[in-house]
């Protein structure tokens, strides 16, 4: 069987082809699945999508009309999929429920330290042979307080690194993680976490209840010299409200690997065109902000696990099996 994979990065393509070798042929496209590209899938029973794919009802109906019966998404999050429509159409939809949490946790810390120690600014200066230190002063993390929103596998991995730095640990989640408690984490309500933390890192999924969990009020509650890191989903942060606070001179640093309007921008080369997103353009101009393009998961370890799970999801579909990765039809509880 030939599988059509959308949104395949150059580094990812040989890994996908190798993983499916001897089982199925796979056609890899660098374009992302959207209303405009969905007709390309006509005649393909199995389609694989990437994290920023548009799997709205309209796209799903186009895929189903073209003969697609199974969609294997290569990501954990699935807020981009209209599962109600998928179930109405009888489409099988799977995701990757688990991959290396260390990839994202380590990258979140990379962002935190980059903005704390002004690494980007320092690097740009030395490229111009400017070796002054003025404006590059950071802070020790040891003894300061970190607030972790979401203490699942990734949040726990992030917390373990924070513990290694010798930080005070605050957490918020719908349920406490015993491993984090054992490390010394104190679970508090969101307002206390926002007000008390020197560094805040987001590791919750994007749900209706978490949309703009970092909104105008939360931002105003935070310390003026706090560091905010988001390596989870862009919609967790109200970016317009964040820009407003940054314009008033607040926050020691902000590290963002995700952006709420990243679809159609991230993973693409926009260097030769005018980007019309004024909010993103303004955000990037702040000297205390580092923006990367949704790359926290992008390690050989994590991508390899994502692809292996995708191969297994396809095998389950062809064998008529359902697993914890199956989103549609729903797995009986």
């Amino acid at each position: 069987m030939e599988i059509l994979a959308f949104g395949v990065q150059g580094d990812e393509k040989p890994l996908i082809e190798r993983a499916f070798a001897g089982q199925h042929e796979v056609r890899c496209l660098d374009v992302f699945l959207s209303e405009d590209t969905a007709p390309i899938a006509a005649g393909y029973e199995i389609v694989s999508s990437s994290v920023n794919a548009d799997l709205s009802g309209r796209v799903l109906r186009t895929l189903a009309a073209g003969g697609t019966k199974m969609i294997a998404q290569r990501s954990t999050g699935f807020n981009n999929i209209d599962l109600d429509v998928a179930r109405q159409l009888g489409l099988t939809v799977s995701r990757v429920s688990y991959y290396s949490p260390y990839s994202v946790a380590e990258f979140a810390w990379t962002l935190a330290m980059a903005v704390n120690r002004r690494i980007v600014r320092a690097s740009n200066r030395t490229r111009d042979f400017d070796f002054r230190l003025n404006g590059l002063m950071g802070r020790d993390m040891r003894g300061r307080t970190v607030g972790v929103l979401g203490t699942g596998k990734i949040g726990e991995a992030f917390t373990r690194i924070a513990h290694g730095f010798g930080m005070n640990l605050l957490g918020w989640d719908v349920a406490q993680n015993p491993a984090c408690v054992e490390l010394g984490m104190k679970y508090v309500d969101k307002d206390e976490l926002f007000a008390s933390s020197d560094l805040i890192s987001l590791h919750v999924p994007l749900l209706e209840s978490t949309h703009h969990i970092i909104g105008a009020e939360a931002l105003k509650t935070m310390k003026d010299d706090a560091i905010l890191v988001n390596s989870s989903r862009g919609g967790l942060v109200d970016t317009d409200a964040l820009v407003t606070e940054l314009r008033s001179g607040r926050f020691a640093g902000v590290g963002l690997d995700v952006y709420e309007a990243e679809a159609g921008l991230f993973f693409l080369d926009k260097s030769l065109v005018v980007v019309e997103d004024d909010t993103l353009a303004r955000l990037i101009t702040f000297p205390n902000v580092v923006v990367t393009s949704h790359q926290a998961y992008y390690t050989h370890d994590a991508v390899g696990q994502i692809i292996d799970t995708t191969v297994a999801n396809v095998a389950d579909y062809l064998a008529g099996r359902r697993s914890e990765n199956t989103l549609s039809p729903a797995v009986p509880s």
Side-chain angles (χ1 to χ4, degrees):
M1 177 174 294
E2 188 175 15
I3 298 167
L4 183 62
F6 284 92
V8 178
Q9 302 297 311
D11 299 328
E12 187 184 13
K13 182 178 178 180
L15 300 178
I16 290 179
E17 292 175 338
R18 190 179 309 128
F20 278 105
Q23 301 178 59
H24 308 287
E25 293 184 16
V26 58
R27 178 187 174 195
C28 295
L29 303 179
D30 58 3
V31 297
F32 295 95
L33 183 54
S34 66
E35 285 190 42
D36 292 333
T37 62
I40 300 173
Y44 288 90
E45 180 178 342
I46 300 175
V47 167
S48 179
S49 59
S50 58
V51 62
N52 271 346
D54 174 5
L55 286 166
S56 60
R58 188 184 298 272
V59 172
L60 292 174
R61 290 186 181 93
T62 299
L63 293 175
T68 297
K69 297 180 180 178
M70 193 265 181
I71 299 167
Q73 176 141 301
R74 304 187 307 280
S75 73
T76 298
F78 53 91
N79 54 285
N80 61 318
I81 307 172
D82 191 328
L83 289 176
D84 290 334
V85 172
R87 289 163 184 160
Q88 292 169 11
L89 295 170
L91 290 170
T92 296
V93 180
S94 68
R95 64 161 178 159
V96 177
S97 58
Y98 173 85
Y99 61 86
S100 169
Y102 309 106
S103 59
V104 179
E106 291 171 5
F107 193 83
W109 268 107
T110 301
L111 285 176
M113 296 310 295
V115 296
N116 176 39
R117 302 306 301 270
R118 313 293 192 261
I119 298 299
V120 175
R121 184 187 299 180
S123 177
N124 288 338
R125 280 188 186 179
T126 55
R127 285 178 181 274
D128 292 331
F129 295 94
D130 178 353
F131 301 106
R132 293 172 299 166
L133 297 182
N134 187 45
L136 302 181
M137 185 175 289
R139 297 178 291 177
D140 288 1
M141 288 290 103
R142 182 175 180 81
R144 287 191 159 80
T145 299
V146 62
V148 185
L149 269 77
T151 55
K153 293 182 177 67
I154 296 173
E156 179 187 333
F158 182 90
T159 300
R160 290 188 182 280
I161 299 172
H163 181 261
F165 272 104
M167 301 188 75
N168 303 313
L169 310 174
L170 296 182
W172 176 88
D173 208 329
V174 293
Q176 296 187 11
N177 184 333
C180 292
V181 173
E182 187 175 343
L183 290 170
M185 174 172 279
K186 177 184 177 184
Y187 280 84
V188 296
D189 62 36
K190 292 195 296 292
D191 288 342
E192 182 176 347
L193 186 148
F194 295 148
S196 303
S197 299
D198 300 294
L199 164 63
I200 296 172
S201 190
L202 309 183
H203 301 288
V204 295
L206 179 58
L207 307 170
E208 185 175 346
S209 59
T210 60
H211 181 255
H212 284 181
I213 193 171
I214 304 297
E217 291 305 314
L219 290 164
K220 291 183 184 301
T221 304
M222 293 177 192
K223 295 181 178 182
D224 288 344
D225 60 354
I227 292 172
L228 174 65
V229 172
N230 185 12
S231 57
S232 183
R233 286 293 184 269
L236 299 176
V237 177
D238 183 338
T239 316
D240 289 328
L242 176 60
V243 168
T244 297
E245 296 302 315
L246 287 166
R247 290 182 65 181
S248 67
R250 298 189 65 224
F251 305 132
V254 175
L256 303 175
D257 185 51
V258 288
Y259 172 60
E260 59 182 328
E262 68 183 54
L265 291 172
F266 282 20
F267 306 130
L268 300 173
D269 181 2
K270 297 290 185 178
S271 61
L272 298 179
V273 299
V274 175
V275 174
E276 298 179 359
D277 189 324
D278 292 337
T279 301
L280 179 60
R282 185 70 180 92
L283 190 65
I284 291 174
T285 65
F286 291 107
N288 57 335
V289 175
V290 172
V291 178
T292 52
S293 57
H294 207 139
Q295 71 180 79
Y297 77 99
Y298 207 54
T299 67
H300 279 284
D301 310 80
V303 173
Q305 291 173 345
I306 289 168
I307 293 171
D308 288 345
T309 301
T310 301
V311 172
N313 288 341
V314 169
D316 283 342
Y317 160 73
L318 293 174
R321 297 186 299 260
R322 284 182 279 176
S323 72
E324 63 177 350
N325 297 320
T326 308
L327 299 172
S328 172
V331 176
S333 57

